[in-house]
Amino acid sequence: QDFAGTGCTSAPQVITATSTAEYLSTPGFPAAYAKNLQCTWVITASSTNAKVYVEIKFLSIEECQYDYLDILESGTSIEKLCTETWEPTQTYTSTANSLTLNFKSDGFGASHRGFLLSYKEIESPTSMVVTEEHTTTMTTDSETVSTVSQSPTSISLTVDQTTTDQETVAASTVS
């Protein structure tokens, strides 16, 4: 479903993200957006264990003090975007299973083209705990003796696969 130009009513537009990328834009995109807009979209993953992945494809918005796209999670702004702060293909991944997007335009100045973004649901990172092992090998003339011992320290690995091309591995030591 195409939600381009929706969300500019008194109630937020609630959208369910799936594993298929969908698109969202300002009303009338790619033409200039109207003045005095207040648009809100709440994008929620279909699974409570999944996250929402957003990629800003295009952004042309007046200075942030006048018009902006605000990305919020749990009611807290994580990024306020306008043309002066945007970098091509900026991406955001929720830490929970939803993101809220607020677009605001004032009643003054020139309108710009707005934004185009894609969103989809991604699986939550897979975590595993690997216990660190130490192997000691001693060799004498007649035999080789190996001992394996486990230390009380373990290593926690998190693999976050936001796209099929990109994989991030983070490791932290747990005592």
Side-chain angles (χ1 to χ4, degrees):
Q1 186 171 357
D2 183 5
F3 288 99
T6 65
C8 302
T9 61
S10 59
Q13 174 71 54
V14 177
I15 300 170
T16 301
T18 65
S19 60
T20 302
E22 304 265 358
Y23 294 88
L24 181 64
S25 68
T26 45
F29 181 85
Y33 55 81
K35 295 179 181 181
N36 295 314
L37 287 176
Q38 180 64 47
C39 309
T40 303
W41 300 271
V42 178
I43 305 172
T44 304
S46 62
S47 166
T48 57
N49 296 326
K51 297 181 181 210
V52 175
Y53 176 79
V54 171
E55 183 176 346
I56 311 296
K57 302 287 191 178
F58 178 85
L59 188 97
S60 175
I61 296 175
E62 196 176 7
E63 295 176 37
C64 284
Q65 65 188 20
Y66 305 111
D67 300 352
Y68 56 84
L69 174 63
D70 198 7
I71 301 173
L72 301 100
E73 186 165 15
S74 301
T76 301
S77 176
I78 58 173
E79 185 82 37
K80 188 181 271 190
L81 295 170
C82 56
T83 303
E84 61 201 35
T85 62
W86 177 66
E87 295 178 22
T89 63
Q90 245 171 314
T91 63
Y92 302 90
T93 303
S94 63
T95 58
N97 74 328
S98 80
L99 285 175
T100 299
L101 307 175
N102 285 332
F103 175 73
K104 180 204 165 286
S105 66
D106 67 5
F108 306 100
S111 289
H112 294 259
R113 292 174 60 191
F115 68 85
L116 173 67
L117 62 84
S118 67
Y119 63 91
K120 66 180 180 177
E121 170 184 88
I122 59 171
E123 294 299 317
S124 288
T126 304
S127 294
M128 65 179 159
V129 175
V130 178
T131 303
E132 187 176 20
E133 293 183 0
H134 298 282
T135 304
T136 305
T137 305
M138 286 180 21
T139 305
T140 64
D141 290 339
S142 60
E143 64 182 330
T144 301
V145 178
S146 294
T147 58
V148 177
S149 63
Q150 290 185 339
S151 79
T153 303
S154 64
I155 298 170
S156 175
L157 296 175
T158 302
V159 178
D160 182 1
Q161 194 165 3
T162 54
T163 67
T164 55
D165 303 349
Q166 184 179 39
E167 191 172 286
T168 303
V169 177
S172 60
T173 303
V174 180
S175 298

